[in-house]
Each structure stands twice: as structure tokens, then as C-alpha cells.
Amino acid sequence: MKKAVVLSIRGTQKYPQQEPEVIELVTEGEMEFHDGGWDIRYAESDLTGLNGVTTTFRVEAGKITLTRIGALNSQMVFQMGVPHDSLYQMSFGALMITVCAKNMFFDITPDGGVIDLVYAIEIENSEAGVIDYHLDIRTVE
């Protein structure tokens, strides 16, 4: 059963020789438990630079999958210490990226929860930086 949620999202992008970029967003979304895992879904906005994209965090035992569909299409799979390749498709072209989870924590119940995800990213086989996501999930009564 889908439940309406309010998501508080903090994303930090750290790239070499640059100041970290922090994006904080509070938005409405939905969560649903099915097939042994949780889907947490929301629409991106102009604030994130991904307007027209729907983002889904799929949380399962030992794995988080981040899927984006719309103006940008990608699916990134995170398992501790295991690199995963992904095609990052944008309107002007595609990039091959590799992600590797450095820290994963989640605690989700039917009332909401939290997801912490830190991962390293390589773009076209070159180290690009570290991304840190923190999501607080609260159901709406």
C-alpha cells in the first residue's frame, strides 16, 4: 500500500579542488513496501536541477538502488564495497559512471525512517568525487 510521505533530503557533493555543494530539500513523495523492499519516490524540482525527473530509492537487505526517470535516466546500484557501472543518460548525451558505496544505513518502518548513503563516483573511468545523501522520511496522516 502506498503512503504519502514528507521527505527531508540533504545531498552533499564533494569534488576535488572545489567547495562541497550542499542541496537541502523538503518535498512530498510516497513510500511503498513490496517484493521484500521499500520504494521511496519523489519528483525532483528546479532546486535540484533535475526538474522533470522522478527519483526512486529502492531499499532492500544489503542494497540500495537509485533510479531516475524523465529528463535524465539512470539506475545506480549500491552495495558496500562493490563497484557498479551505470549509464547516465541526459538530453545532450550519455556518460558511463561507476559508483561504489562507502557507507549505507537505513531504518525504514511503515511510519517512515531514514536512509544514509555515501558513495564514490567515477565518470568515464576517472575519479570524480563523493556524494553523501541523507533522507528523513515521515508519513503524512
Side-chain angles (χ1 to χ4, degrees):
M1 181 170 96
K2 291 182 184 177
K3 288 188 173 186
V5 295
V6 172
L7 301 166
S8 297
I9 304 165
R10 180 181 170 99
T12 305
Q13 301 177 10
K14 300 174 189 168
Y15 297 106
Q17 289 84 45
Q18 295 181 18
E19 289 293 314
E21 181 181 338
V22 178
I23 295 175
E24 295 188 66
L25 173 69
V26 177
T27 189
E28 296 177 351
E30 62 184 28
M31 67 183 281
E32 178 180 23
F33 185 82
H34 68 92
D35 298 331
W38 289 96
D39 285 342
I40 294 88
R41 182 175 299 110
Y42 64 96
E44 296 282 355
S45 70
D46 287 331
L47 179 65
T48 62
L50 298 174
N51 196 24
V53 174
T54 299
T55 296
T56 303
F57 283 87
R58 170 82 177 158
V59 179
E60 304 169 90
K63 180 168 80 172
I64 297 174
T65 304
L66 173 56
T67 304
R68 290 195 166 114
I69 297 173
L72 173 144
N73 294 295
S74 73
Q75 184 175 65
M76 296 179 275
V77 178
F78 304 98
Q79 294 174 292
M80 281 302 298
V82 180
H84 286 275
D85 292 334
S86 173
L87 192 61
Y88 205 79
Q89 298 176 309
M90 298 160 285
S91 60
F92 55 85
L95 294 172
M96 178 58 72
I97 65 170
T98 302
V99 294
C100 187
K102 301 296 183 190
N103 183 40
M104 287 178 21
F105 173 81
F106 53 86
D107 183 12
I108 301 175
T109 70
D111 295 322
V114 66
I115 299 172
D116 285 309
L117 174 63
V118 179
Y119 62 93
I121 186 168
E122 292 180 2
I123 299 174
E124 302 287 340
N125 296 316
S126 296
E127 288 185 27
V130 175
I131 312 295
D132 183 340
Y133 276 114
H134 175 79
L135 282 78
D136 280 313
I137 307 152
R138 300 287 172 255
T139 56
V140 177
E141 296 293 323

PDB file of all heavy atoms in Angstrom, residues 74-95:
ATOM      1  N   SER A  74      18.731   7.121 -15.275  1.00  0.00           N
ATOM      2  CA  SER A  74      19.865   6.367 -14.748  1.00  0.00           C
ATOM      3  C   SER A  74      19.368   5.387 -13.690  1.00  0.00           C
ATOM      4  O   SER A  74      18.286   5.551 -13.120  1.00  0.00           O
ATOM      5  CB  SER A  74      20.927   7.288 -14.139  1.00  0.00           C
ATOM      6  OG  SER A  74      20.479   7.821 -12.915  1.00  0.00           O
ATOM      7  N   GLN A  75      20.191   4.371 -13.471  1.00  0.00           N
ATOM      8  CA  GLN A  75      19.938   3.434 -12.384  1.00  0.00           C
ATOM      9  C   GLN A  75      21.288   3.093 -11.768  1.00  0.00           C
ATOM     10  O   GLN A  75      22.170   2.559 -12.449  1.00  0.00           O
ATOM     11  CB  GLN A  75      19.243   2.168 -12.863  1.00  0.00           C
ATOM     12  CG  GLN A  75      18.906   1.236 -11.710  1.00  0.00           C
ATOM     13  CD  GLN A  75      18.108   0.040 -12.160  1.00  0.00           C
ATOM     14  OE1 GLN A  75      18.613  -0.776 -12.922  1.00  0.00           O
ATOM     15  NE2 GLN A  75      16.873  -0.051 -11.694  1.00  0.00           N
ATOM     16  N   MET A  76      21.455   3.472 -10.506  1.00  0.00           N
ATOM     17  CA  MET A  76      22.698   3.211  -9.791  1.00  0.00           C
ATOM     18  C   MET A  76      22.412   2.224  -8.671  1.00  0.00           C
ATOM     19  O   MET A  76      21.465   2.402  -7.906  1.00  0.00           O
ATOM     20  CB  MET A  76      23.269   4.510  -9.233  1.00  0.00           C
ATOM     21  CG  MET A  76      23.673   5.499 -10.313  1.00  0.00           C
ATOM     22  SD  MET A  76      24.329   7.040  -9.657  1.00  0.00           S
ATOM     23  CE  MET A  76      22.801   7.947  -9.378  1.00  0.00           C
ATOM     24  N   VAL A  77      23.233   1.193  -8.593  1.00  0.00           N
ATOM     25  CA  VAL A  77      23.078   0.149  -7.582  1.00  0.00           C
ATOM     26  C   VAL A  77      24.211   0.277  -6.575  1.00  0.00           C
ATOM     27  O   VAL A  77      25.387   0.390  -6.955  1.00  0.00           O
ATOM     28  CB  VAL A  77      23.095  -1.253  -8.228  1.00  0.00           C
ATOM     29  CG1 VAL A  77      22.990  -2.344  -7.171  1.00  0.00           C
ATOM     30  CG2 VAL A  77      21.976  -1.376  -9.255  1.00  0.00           C
ATOM     31  N   PHE A  78      23.845   0.271  -5.294  1.00  0.00           N
ATOM     32  CA  PHE A  78      24.830   0.438  -4.223  1.00  0.00           C
ATOM     33  C   PHE A  78      24.841  -0.785  -3.322  1.00  0.00           C
ATOM     34  O   PHE A  78      23.811  -1.159  -2.765  1.00  0.00           O
ATOM     35  CB  PHE A  78      24.502   1.675  -3.386  1.00  0.00           C
ATOM     36  CG  PHE A  78      24.418   2.928  -4.208  1.00  0.00           C
ATOM     37  CD1 PHE A  78      23.188   3.415  -4.628  1.00  0.00           C
ATOM     38  CD2 PHE A  78      25.567   3.595  -4.593  1.00  0.00           C
ATOM     39  CE1 PHE A  78      23.105   4.564  -5.401  1.00  0.00           C
ATOM     40  CE2 PHE A  78      25.494   4.745  -5.366  1.00  0.00           C
ATOM     41  CZ  PHE A  78      24.262   5.230  -5.771  1.00  0.00           C
ATOM     42  N   GLN A  79      26.010  -1.401  -3.209  1.00  0.00           N
ATOM     43  CA  GLN A  79      26.271  -2.475  -2.268  1.00  0.00           C
ATOM     44  C   GLN A  79      27.639  -2.182  -1.671  1.00  0.00           C
ATOM     45  O   GLN A  79      28.561  -1.783  -2.405  1.00  0.00           O
ATOM     46  CB  GLN A  79      26.262  -3.837  -2.955  1.00  0.00           C
ATOM     47  CG  GLN A  79      24.890  -4.216  -3.488  1.00  0.00           C
ATOM     48  CD  GLN A  79      24.927  -5.502  -4.299  1.00  0.00           C
ATOM     49  OE1 GLN A  79      25.497  -5.530  -5.375  1.00  0.00           O
ATOM     50  NE2 GLN A  79      24.312  -6.543  -3.763  1.00  0.00           N
ATOM     51  N   MET A  80      27.788  -2.345  -0.376  1.00  0.00           N
ATOM     52  CA  MET A  80      29.024  -1.953   0.302  1.00  0.00           C
ATOM     53  C   MET A  80      30.258  -2.527  -0.378  1.00  0.00           C
ATOM     54  O   MET A  80      30.390  -3.740  -0.538  1.00  0.00           O
ATOM     55  CB  MET A  80      28.992  -2.391   1.763  1.00  0.00           C
ATOM     56  CG  MET A  80      28.175  -1.474   2.648  1.00  0.00           C
ATOM     57  SD  MET A  80      28.735   0.249   2.628  1.00  0.00           S
ATOM     58  CE  MET A  80      30.383   0.076   3.267  1.00  0.00           C
ATOM     59  N   GLY A  81      31.146  -1.616  -0.808  1.00  0.00           N
ATOM     60  CA  GLY A  81      32.426  -2.005  -1.363  1.00  0.00           C
ATOM     61  C   GLY A  81      32.389  -2.638  -2.739  1.00  0.00           C
ATOM     62  O   GLY A  81      33.416  -3.086  -3.238  1.00  0.00           O
ATOM     63  N   VAL A  82      31.212  -2.694  -3.379  1.00  0.00           N
ATOM     64  CA  VAL A  82      31.086  -3.327  -4.691  1.00  0.00           C
ATOM     65  C   VAL A  82      30.834  -2.253  -5.746  1.00  0.00           C
ATOM     66  O   VAL A  82      29.801  -1.593  -5.721  1.00  0.00           O
ATOM     67  CB  VAL A  82      29.926  -4.356  -4.710  1.00  0.00           C
ATOM     68  CG1 VAL A  82      29.807  -5.010  -6.079  1.00  0.00           C
ATOM     69  CG2 VAL A  82      30.112  -5.407  -3.622  1.00  0.00           C
ATOM     70  N   PRO A  83      31.760  -2.061  -6.702  1.00  0.00           N
ATOM     71  CA  PRO A  83      31.521  -1.077  -7.747  1.00  0.00           C
ATOM     72  C   PRO A  83      30.449  -1.533  -8.732  1.00  0.00           C
ATOM     73  O   PRO A  83      30.380  -2.717  -9.061  1.00  0.00           O
ATOM     74  CB  PRO A  83      32.876  -0.933  -8.450  1.00  0.00           C
ATOM     75  CG  PRO A  83      33.772  -1.975  -7.906  1.00  0.00           C
ATOM     76  CD  PRO A  83      33.070  -2.683  -6.802  1.00  0.00           C
ATOM     77  N   HIS A  84      29.611  -0.609  -9.162  1.00  0.00           N
ATOM     78  CA  HIS A  84      28.577  -0.889 -10.153  1.00  0.00           C
ATOM     79  C   HIS A  84      28.631   0.159 -11.249  1.00  0.00           C
ATOM     80  O   HIS A  84      28.712   1.356 -10.969  1.00  0.00           O
ATOM     81  CB  HIS A  84      27.178  -0.880  -9.518  1.00  0.00           C
ATOM     82  CG  HIS A  84      26.883  -2.081  -8.695  1.00  0.00           C
ATOM     83  ND1 HIS A  84      26.402  -3.246  -9.228  1.00  0.00           N
ATOM     84  CD2 HIS A  84      27.020  -2.305  -7.366  1.00  0.00           C
ATOM     85  CE1 HIS A  84      26.248  -4.139  -8.258  1.00  0.00           C
ATOM     86  NE2 HIS A  84      26.619  -3.583  -7.118  1.00  0.00           N
ATOM     87  N   ASP A  85      28.585  -0.292 -12.504  1.00  0.00           N
ATOM     88  CA  ASP A  85      28.555   0.609 -13.651  1.00  0.00           C
ATOM     89  C   ASP A  85      27.127   0.998 -13.979  1.00  0.00           C
ATOM     90  O   ASP A  85      26.200   0.202 -13.807  1.00  0.00           O
ATOM     91  CB  ASP A  85      29.177  -0.047 -14.884  1.00  0.00           C
ATOM     92  CG  ASP A  85      30.671  -0.271 -14.739  1.00  0.00           C
ATOM     93  OD1 ASP A  85      31.311   0.479 -13.972  1.00  0.00           O
ATOM     94  OD2 ASP A  85      31.200  -1.192 -15.383  1.00  0.00           O
ATOM     95  N   SER A  86      26.960   2.219 -14.474  1.00  0.00           N
ATOM     96  CA  SER A  86      25.639   2.729 -14.815  1.00  0.00           C
ATOM     97  C   SER A  86      25.759   3.692 -15.978  1.00  0.00           C
ATOM     98  O   SER A  86      26.710   4.473 -16.053  1.00  0.00           O
ATOM     99  CB  SER A  86      25.034   3.454 -13.607  1.00  0.00           C
ATOM    100  OG  SER A  86      23.835   4.097 -13.961  1.00  0.00           O
ATOM    101  N   LEU A  87      24.783   3.643 -16.865  1.00  0.00           N
ATOM    102  CA  LEU A  87      24.712   4.608 -17.948  1.00  0.00           C
ATOM    103  C   LEU A  87      23.843   5.770 -17.483  1.00  0.00           C
ATOM    104  O   LEU A  87      22.707   5.578 -17.058  1.00  0.00           O
ATOM    105  CB  LEU A  87      24.116   3.962 -19.204  1.00  0.00           C
ATOM    106  CG  LEU A  87      24.236   4.765 -20.490  1.00  0.00           C
ATOM    107  CD1 LEU A  87      25.704   5.004 -20.844  1.00  0.00           C
ATOM    108  CD2 LEU A  87      23.556   4.016 -21.629  1.00  0.00           C
ATOM    109  N   TYR A  88      24.395   6.968 -17.522  1.00  0.00           N
ATOM    110  CA  TYR A  88      23.724   8.187 -17.060  1.00  0.00           C
ATOM    111  C   TYR A  88      23.296   8.937 -18.307  1.00  0.00           C
ATOM    112  O   TYR A  88      24.105   9.592 -18.960  1.00  0.00           O
ATOM    113  CB  TYR A  88      24.732   8.988 -16.229  1.00  0.00           C
ATOM    114  CG  TYR A  88      24.158   9.919 -15.208  1.00  0.00           C
ATOM    115  CD1 TYR A  88      23.695   9.451 -13.984  1.00  0.00           C
ATOM    116  CD2 TYR A  88      24.122  11.284 -15.451  1.00  0.00           C
ATOM    117  CE1 TYR A  88      23.209  10.325 -13.020  1.00  0.00           C
ATOM    118  CE2 TYR A  88      23.637  12.172 -14.492  1.00  0.00           C
ATOM    119  CZ  TYR A  88      23.180  11.678 -13.282  1.00  0.00           C
ATOM    120  OH  TYR A  88      22.702  12.543 -12.334  1.00  0.00           O
ATOM    121  N   GLN A  89      22.008   8.806 -18.684  1.00  0.00           N
ATOM    122  CA  GLN A  89      21.517   9.357 -19.942  1.00  0.00           C
ATOM    123  C   GLN A  89      20.844  10.706 -19.725  1.00  0.00           C
ATOM    124  O   GLN A  89      19.891  10.813 -18.964  1.00  0.00           O
ATOM    125  CB  GLN A  89      20.522   8.391 -20.579  1.00  0.00           C
ATOM    126  CG  GLN A  89      21.138   7.058 -20.930  1.00  0.00           C
ATOM    127  CD  GLN A  89      20.118   6.089 -21.457  1.00  0.00           C
ATOM    128  OE1 GLN A  89      19.075   5.874 -20.846  1.00  0.00           O
ATOM    129  NE2 GLN A  89      20.412   5.497 -22.615  1.00  0.00           N
ATOM    130  N   MET A  90      21.380  11.729 -20.429  1.00  0.00           N
ATOM    131  CA  MET A  90      20.832  13.077 -20.357  1.00  0.00           C
ATOM    132  C   MET A  90      20.413  13.502 -21.760  1.00  0.00           C
ATOM    133  O   MET A  90      20.727  12.818 -22.736  1.00  0.00           O
ATOM    134  CB  MET A  90      21.888  14.024 -19.795  1.00  0.00           C
ATOM    135  CG  MET A  90      22.311  13.645 -18.377  1.00  0.00           C
ATOM    136  SD  MET A  90      23.908  14.338 -17.918  1.00  0.00           S
ATOM    137  CE  MET A  90      25.017  13.297 -18.847  1.00  0.00           C
ATOM    138  N   SER A  91      19.732  14.625 -21.870  1.00  0.00           N
ATOM    139  CA  SER A  91      19.228  15.063 -23.171  1.00  0.00           C
ATOM    140  C   SER A  91      20.351  15.297 -24.183  1.00  0.00           C
ATOM    141  O   SER A  91      20.164  15.093 -25.375  1.00  0.00           O
ATOM    142  CB  SER A  91      18.400  16.340 -23.011  1.00  0.00           C
ATOM    143  OG  SER A  91      19.198  17.371 -22.458  1.00  0.00           O
ATOM    144  N   PHE A  92      21.542  15.699 -23.722  1.00  0.00           N
ATOM    145  CA  PHE A  92      22.643  16.009 -24.634  1.00  0.00           C
ATOM    146  C   PHE A  92      23.615  14.852 -24.833  1.00  0.00           C
ATOM    147  O   PHE A  92      24.594  14.980 -25.558  1.00  0.00           O
ATOM    148  CB  PHE A  92      23.415  17.246 -24.156  1.00  0.00           C
ATOM    149  CG  PHE A  92      23.924  17.135 -22.745  1.00  0.00           C
ATOM    150  CD1 PHE A  92      25.135  16.514 -22.471  1.00  0.00           C
ATOM    151  CD2 PHE A  92      23.188  17.662 -21.696  1.00  0.00           C
ATOM    152  CE1 PHE A  92      25.603  16.416 -21.171  1.00  0.00           C
ATOM    153  CE2 PHE A  92      23.652  17.569 -20.396  1.00  0.00           C
ATOM    154  CZ  PHE A  92      24.860  16.946 -20.124  1.00  0.00           C
ATOM    155  N   GLY A  93      23.359  13.703 -24.191  1.00  0.00           N
ATOM    156  CA  GLY A  93      24.244  12.556 -24.365  1.00  0.00           C
ATOM    157  C   GLY A  93      24.250  11.674 -23.134  1.00  0.00           C
ATOM    158  O   GLY A  93      23.440  11.845 -22.227  1.00  0.00           O
ATOM    159  N   ALA A  94      25.171  10.719 -23.118  1.00  0.00           N
ATOM    160  CA  ALA A  94      25.234   9.762 -22.020  1.00  0.00           C
ATOM    161  C   ALA A  94      26.661   9.650 -21.502  1.00  0.00           C
ATOM    162  O   ALA A  94      27.624   9.843 -22.248  1.00  0.00           O
ATOM    163  CB  ALA A  94      24.736   8.406 -22.479  1.00  0.00           C
ATOM    164  N   LEU A  95      26.792   9.347 -20.223  1.00  0.00           N
ATOM    165  CA  LEU A  95      28.078   9.112 -19.580  1.00  0.00           C
ATOM    166  C   LEU A  95      28.051   7.743 -18.928  1.00  0.00           C
ATOM    167  O   LEU A  95      27.030   7.341 -18.361  1.00  0.00           O
ATOM    168  CB  LEU A  95      28.345  10.145 -18.481  1.00  0.00           C
ATOM    169  CG  LEU A  95      28.544  11.590 -18.853  1.00  0.00           C
ATOM    170  CD1 LEU A  95      28.600  12.440 -17.588  1.00  0.00           C
ATOM    171  CD2 LEU A  95      29.829  11.751 -19.642  1.00  0.00           C
TER     172      LEU A  95
END
